[in-house]
Amino acid sequence: YCVCMEGQTVTDLREWFCAQAPQLNAVLAEWAERAVAFEDCDGWRGSGAHSCESWFVNECGFSRPFAAALLRAGHAAHDLDEVGDAFAAGELSVEKVRLIGTVATAEDQGDWLRTARSSTPAQLARQCREARTSKTDEPGRARLQRSLRHLHMWTDEVGMLRISGLLPTEDGWLVRSRIDQIANLLREERRSGLGIDLDLPEDPEGALHVDALVALCSAAPSDGSAEPVPMQSTMNYHVDHGVLSGENPGGRAHIEDGPAISVAVIRRLSCDGRVRA
C-alpha cells in the first residue's frame, strides 16, 4: 500500500489517468482539427517558419515529431469521418489516428477503428506497416529499399559521433544480428567479471550495442590483406503454414521483432534455413 501524493494511492492515480485520457484525446482532437484549418489557410506564413509544423515548434514549443503527428492526425480525421468522430469522442489518441491515416480508406476505416481500439500503439504501428508493405510487390519493394538506403554520420555539439540511416530489410537484419551477437558476448564477459564498465551509462543496453558495434569494426581488417573472421548469425522469422499454402495470405509472415516479409523472400531464406514447427 503506497501513498503517492496528497493521500492518493497508486490505484487512485491509475484510475485518474484512465479517466482523464479520453478527455485529453478529445482536446487534442480539437487541436488537430484547428491545426489543419490553420495550415489550409496559410496562417503560419509570414512568421519566418518554413512550414506549419515548424510554426507549432517555434510558437507553441512542441517537439517536431509531436507537431507532425498532430497535423497528420488532423488530416486523417478530416478525410475519414468515422475516425474523426472516434477521435473527437476521445476514443483514440493522436498517435493511433496518425497511424490509421497511413493505411485506412473510406471503405475499410471501420475495420481499422476496431483494430485500433483493441491494440496498443506499437501493435497498431506494426499492423499498419504490414498493410503498407503488402500493397507493394516484392521487386518494387526491393528497388524502393535500395534507392532509399543511406547512412549519415556527423559530430554533435559535444563531440560525439551521431549515426542515422536506412538499410534494406535483409541487410539491416544482418547488421542487427551481428551487433546483437557481439553484445551478448560482451554481456556474458561482464557478468563473469572479465569486463568492467567504469563509467556507468545512462542507457546500459544502448551503450552495450555501441560497444558491440565498435568491437565489430575493430575486428574487421582495415587494409584488405586478410579475410574477416567468419561469424555465424541467426535470423528468426515466423510464418503461418496458411501463408505458404495460399489458404491464408493475410496470416503471420514477419522477421522476429521486425517487419513483414513476402512469401518469395521466405521461400528463398528457407533454402538455407531450419524449419521449426
Side-chain angles (χ1 to χ4, degrees):
Y1 184 79
C2 174
V3 177
C4 294
M5 57 173 290
E6 298 180 358
Q8 291 186 318
T9 65
V10 170
T11 300
D12 295 333
L13 289 176
R14 184 183 296 119
E15 293 176 350
W16 186 87
F17 287 129
C18 292
Q20 292 294 318
Q23 299 181 43
L24 178 59
N25 290 337
V27 170
L28 291 175
E30 183 177 359
W31 268 78
E33 180 183 11
R34 292 174 180 269
V36 170
F38 185 66
E39 182 180 43
D40 289 345
C41 69
D42 292 334
W44 56 274
R45 293 189 184 278
S47 63
H50 298 296
S51 65
C52 188
E53 176 185 313
S54 296
W55 186 90
F56 278 107
V57 172
N58 298 336
E59 301 299 328
C60 298
F62 293 163
S63 69
R64 189 167 296 278
F66 178 77
L70 188 71
L71 285 165
R72 289 171 184 169
H75 284 292
H78 179 270
D79 297 338
L80 304 167
D81 55 346
E82 293 181 41
V83 174
D85 291 343
F87 192 20
E91 298 176 19
L92 300 177
S93 65
V94 168
E95 181 63 11
K96 286 188 175 183
V97 176
R98 180 192 72 80
L99 289 168
I100 292 176
T102 65
V103 292
T105 64
E107 291 72 27
D108 65 4
Q109 59 177 308
D111 295 333
W112 280 108
L113 266 177
R114 287 187 287 274
T115 299
R117 289 187 178 110
S118 61
S119 304
T120 65
Q123 292 169 338
L124 181 61
R126 177 172 183 164
Q127 293 175 81
C128 291
R129 185 168 61 245
E130 291 176 351
R132 292 194 301 271
T133 302
S134 66
K135 295 178 182 179
T136 307
D137 59 27
E138 181 59 29
R141 189 182 308 117
R143 288 193 297 271
L144 176 62
Q145 290 190 356
R146 294 291 294 174
S147 68
L148 292 176
R149 72 188 191 282
H150 70 268
L151 189 67
H152 296 156
M153 296 179 286
W154 69 98
T155 303
D156 68 7
E157 62 277 5
V158 296
M160 299 187 72
L161 178 67
R162 289 185 176 268
I163 302 175
S164 174
L166 285 174
L167 283 76
T169 302
E170 292 180 57
D171 293 344
W173 284 87
L174 172 62
V175 171
R176 178 172 177 172
S177 64
R178 293 284 175 89
I179 291 176
D180 285 343
Q181 181 187 29
I182 298 176
N184 288 333
L185 294 175
L186 293 175
R187 187 182 291 109
E188 290 303 318
E189 286 183 357
R190 292 171 185 179
R191 284 175 179 171
S192 63
L194 296 177
I196 300 176
D197 196 341
L198 298 177
D199 299 313
L200 295 180
E202 295 182 1
D203 179 2
E205 193 67 18
L208 187 65
H209 282 86
V210 169
D211 296 343
L213 178 60
V214 173
L216 178 62
C217 295
S218 299
S222 59
D223 57 2
S225 59
E227 290 293 327
V229 178
M231 299 177 63
Q232 185 177 20
S233 300
T234 300
M235 179 172 67
N236 297 319
Y237 54 95
H238 303 274
V239 56
D240 292 338
H241 178 269
V243 174
L244 295 176
S245 66
E247 296 176 2
N248 182 23
R252 182 175 59 167
H254 62 88
I255 296 174
E256 187 168 73
D257 297 326
I261 49 179
S262 69
V263 173
V265 170
I266 291 170
R267 294 190 187 281
R268 176 162 51 79
L269 293 175
S270 297
C271 292
D272 298 318
R274 290 181 295 174
V275 177
R276 184 173 61 206

